Amino acid sequence: MNEPTRLPVGSKTQGPFPSEGVFRRADTAWFTEARFGLFIHWGLYSIPAGVWNGVPSGRNWYAEWIQMQGNWPHGIPAQEYRALRERFDPVRFDADAWMAAAAEAGMRYLIVTTKHHDGFALWPSRVSRFNVVDATPFRRDVVGELAAACRKRGLRVGFYYSHWQDWEHPGGARPYEENPAEPFLLHPQPSQQDFEAYWQQKCLPQVAELIDGYAPDLFWFDNWRPDPLLTAGRLDQLIGLVHARAPQCLINSRIGTTWNHPQGDAGVDYLSTLDNVFPEEAIPRPWETSGTMQRSWGCHALDFGWKPTGQLLRHLVDNASRGGNFQLNIGPRGDGSLPPPVIRRLREIGAWMTVNGEAVQGTRPVRLTAPSWGRLTMRDLPDGRIWYYLHVYDWHGGQALPALRVPGGAARCQVLETGQEVQVQRLGQDLIVTLPEEQADDRITVLRLEVQP
Ligand code: FHN
C-alpha cells in the first residue's frame, strides 16, 4: 500500500517554510496573495510582428527581437528599425479594455514593457526623445493610461524595464550569443565607460522618471546571464534608487543579482525564473514564472503555437502549489487590438478562476511532493479550520485517491464548481477521498476538503 500523503496542520507555527522575513525589505504580501498577473510585451516591434520585408525573422520566435533577428543574420539597420516609430499609431489601443480583460481573467497585477531592448519608451520620457509621445504620431502616454486603468480596477502596477540591453543608446549592452554554431549575435559590447554613460544618462534617470511619474508597485528588470557590465556597484545603485524613491516597490532577481552580485539575490524582493521555466519544487521566497501564450512574447503574425488553456491553467496551479506566481504574457497587435486566441484564452481562464480562484489566490503551498493525481494548496481560516484544495488533473471517477494523512477532526469535501458532496472517510489520521463519477472540468477539477481542528 502507498505511504499516505501527509498534509501539514496549523498555520502559525507550522508554516511550510522558515520565515521569509530575513529576505524581505518591502511588503511582498500582495504579490504572493495575487498569484496571477498579466505580462504585456508591446512596442514598435509589434508592427512588423516577426516578419521583415516579407521574411520571417531570425533564429527564434521572439518577435520583440526583430531589430537583431530580422534581415537574418545581419539584423535591421538601426535607422531603418527606428523608422517604425512613424508608423506607430495604434488607433485600437484601449487601456481600459486590456485591463478589464486581465481583471476578468482573475489577474491581480500588470507588468508592461515600459522600455524593451530596442530602447523605445512607452511614456513621454524627458530623458530620451525616442518615446511614444515625442517620436510617434500616436502621442499618447501608454504607460500612464495603463497605470490609471489598473488602479481603477484595484490591479497593482508593474513595470518591465530593460536596464541592461538597450539597442538605441550607444552605451547599452548588445546581444551576446556564445553558441559557436550560431555566432551571429556576437555584437561588439560597449566599453565600461560607454555603458556607464548609458547607465547615468538613460537607465537611472528613466527608472527615476517611472517611479516619480507613476508610482509602480513592482519592477521587472531583465538580465539572464553574467556580464561584467552589470557590476555589483551598478546593481546596488539601481536597487538603491528604487529603495530611496519607492520603499514599497518590489524588485526582481533578473535585475542580475543571481549572476552578477557577490551576495546573490539577498537584496531583491522576489525571484524570477528564466522564460517559461516552472520549478518542480517549492521555493521558500516569493517567486514567479513569466510565461508565454505562444512562443513569442511580442505579437508574432506567424507563430501559431498557441498553448491550450488547460496547459496555462496547470502552469498557474503548479506554481501556486509551490508558493509561486504566474505571469502570463500577451502580445497585443501593432494597432492595439488583442489577437482572438489571446481573448479566448483570457476568457476561458477567467471562467475557471471565477469558480476556482479561491483555491489559487491567497493560498499557501502544502509542504510535500506533488501527488500523482494533481496538486494541493491550502488556506487557514481564522477559526482554526483548514481548507485543503485538491486540484485534480487526473480524474478516475469512482476511485479513491491515495490516503491523505491529515490529523484533526471531522472532514467534509465538495466539488468547488458544483457544490457536489464528495465522499470522505476518516480512518484514524488518514482521510480517504473518493472521486465522484462525473468530473466538473476536464482540465482541472478542484475539491475543497474542510478539516475541523
Ligand atoms: O530578451 C528578453 C525577451 O525578449 C523577453 O522580454 C523575455 C521575458 O522574460 N526576457 C528576455 C529573455 O529572457
Side-chain angles (χ1 to χ4, degrees):
M1 198 178 133
N2 289 342
E3 252 302 278
T5 304
R6 290 163 208 277
L7 301 192
V9 274
S11 61
K12 308 291 179 278
T13 52
Q14 287 181 276
F17 304 115
S19 164
E20 293 165 356
V22 286
F23 298 109
R24 278 190 187 169
R25 174 187 58 82
D27 182 2
T28 53
W30 71 263
F31 179 74
T32 50
E33 275 167 35
R35 287 287 186 247
F36 194 28
L38 178 71
F39 211 139
I40 298 182
H41 276 66
W42 198 52
L44 298 182
Y45 46 80
S46 311
I47 299 171
V51 183
W52 195 259
N53 290 336
V55 182
S57 90
R59 184 191 61 146
N60 68 22
W61 287 93
Y62 284 12
E64 66 282 5
W65 274 70
I66 197 164
Q67 183 179 349
M68 293 295 167
Q69 301 200 352
N71 187 33
W72 185 256
H74 310 289
I76 299 166
Q79 288 316 317
E80 214 180 304
Y81 177 80
R82 285 176 209 146
L84 284 171
R85 65 176 190 253
E86 290 152 23
R87 291 167 52 200
F88 191 81
D89 193 14
V91 289
R92 297 180 67 189
F93 169 65
D94 181 346
D96 224 47
W98 287 8
M99 290 308 107
E104 281 158 23
M107 293 158 161
R108 298 268 174 91
Y109 58 98
L110 162 74
I111 300 179
V112 61
T113 49
T114 59
K115 183 199 85 170
H116 202 264
H117 305 337
D118 62 3
F120 177 73
L122 281 180
W123 78 99
S125 173
R126 288 178 300 277
V127 172
S128 158
R129 290 186 62 79
F130 192 43
N131 73 66
V132 65
V133 168
D134 292 315
T136 77
F138 193 51
R139 300 188 61 81
R140 272 164 59 185
D141 178 359
V142 169
V143 170
E145 289 185 31
L146 285 169
C150 281
R151 295 208 159 105
K152 196 171 116 187
R153 296 191 156 68
L155 300 180
R156 298 278 188 152
V157 177
F159 291 160
Y160 172 106
Y161 182 86
S162 180
H163 65 310
W164 172 53
Q165 298 285 315
D166 187 306
W167 306 334
E168 186 252 348
H169 195 287
R174 297 298 192 264
Y176 190 95
E177 174 55 75
E178 278 176 306
N179 181 353
E182 295 185 325
F184 309 111
L185 294 180
L186 262 180
H187 292 264
Q189 293 300 316
S191 65
Q192 285 288 350
Q193 202 184 1
D194 289 345
F195 189 76
E196 183 63 17
Y198 155 71
W199 194 254
Q200 299 299 337
Q201 290 165 10
K202 188 169 180 184
C203 175
L204 297 178
Q206 283 199 327
V207 171
E209 261 184 4
L210 285 169
I211 295 172
D212 296 350
Y214 310 100
D217 299 294
L218 167 157
F219 269 106
W220 204 102
F221 294 110
D222 199 356
N223 159 256
W224 55 89
R225 50 164 291 140
D227 190 321
L229 295 171
L230 285 184
T231 58
R234 288 195 179 111
L235 293 178
D236 286 342
Q237 204 174 15
L238 181 53
I239 293 171
L241 182 150
V242 178
H243 283 193
R245 289 185 182 236
Q248 289 306 317
C249 180
L250 308 185
I251 300 173
N252 69 333
S253 58
R254 280 183 61 173
I255 194 169
T257 42
T258 316
W259 301 280
N260 296 293
H261 201 291
Q263 280 154 15
D265 297 321
V268 299
D269 303 298
Y270 67 100
L271 308 180
S272 295
T273 67
L274 292 174
D275 302 1
N276 288 302
V277 170
F278 297 90
E280 305 232 320
E281 290 188 355
I283 298 173
R285 289 189 64 180
W287 66 273
E288 57 88 16
T289 298
S290 293
T292 48
M293 265 194 200
Q294 45 187 154
R295 284 164 286 211
S296 178
W297 297 87
C299 177
H300 198 308
L302 299 178
D303 179 0
F304 302 110
W306 294 94
K307 297 171 189 171
T309 304
Q311 181 183 341
L312 301 172
L313 287 173
R314 283 194 184 195
H315 289 326
L316 173 63
V317 172
D318 282 354
N319 275 18
S321 76
R322 291 163 182 148
N325 287 22
F326 181 39
Q327 282 144 207
L328 177 57
N329 180 75
I330 64 169
R333 290 178 176 139
D335 67 359
S337 62
L338 299 182
V342 167
I343 296 172
R344 175 161 75 79
R345 280 162 182 75
L346 290 179
R347 286 191 184 148
E348 287 175 357
I349 291 170
W352 187 90
M353 286 292 281
T354 302
V355 288
N356 298 303
E358 68 161 80
V360 173
Q361 277 151 341
T363 62
R364 61 189 183 99
V366 171
R367 186 175 39 181
L368 46 72
T369 319
S372 58
W373 45 262
R375 300 289 178 263
L376 283 154
T377 53
M378 66 190 288
R379 172 189 299 282
D380 306 283
L381 301 178
D383 61 7
R385 280 177 302 156
I386 297 179
W387 284 350
Y388 297 99
Y389 296 101
L390 284 56
H391 303 253
V392 185
Y393 291 0
D394 197 12
W395 189 272
H396 295 283
Q399 289 187 21
L401 296 177
L404 299 167
R405 177 138 304 174
V406 195
R412 181 183 176 199
C413 192
Q414 283 178 298
V415 177
L416 208 50
E417 180 175 336
T418 60
Q420 181 181 12
E421 291 291 334
V422 176
Q423 188 191 323
V424 53
Q425 205 187 348
R426 181 166 276 295
L427 290 177
Q429 297 216 319
D430 292 349
L431 292 177
I432 310 292
V433 173
T434 301
L435 297 179
E437 286 299 339
E438 285 96 4
Q439 183 180 15
D441 189 314
D442 60 6
R443 298 159 306 184
I444 306 173
T445 299
V446 182
L447 311 182
R448 186 174 61 208
L449 175 64
E450 178 183 312
V451 182
Q452 301 288 342

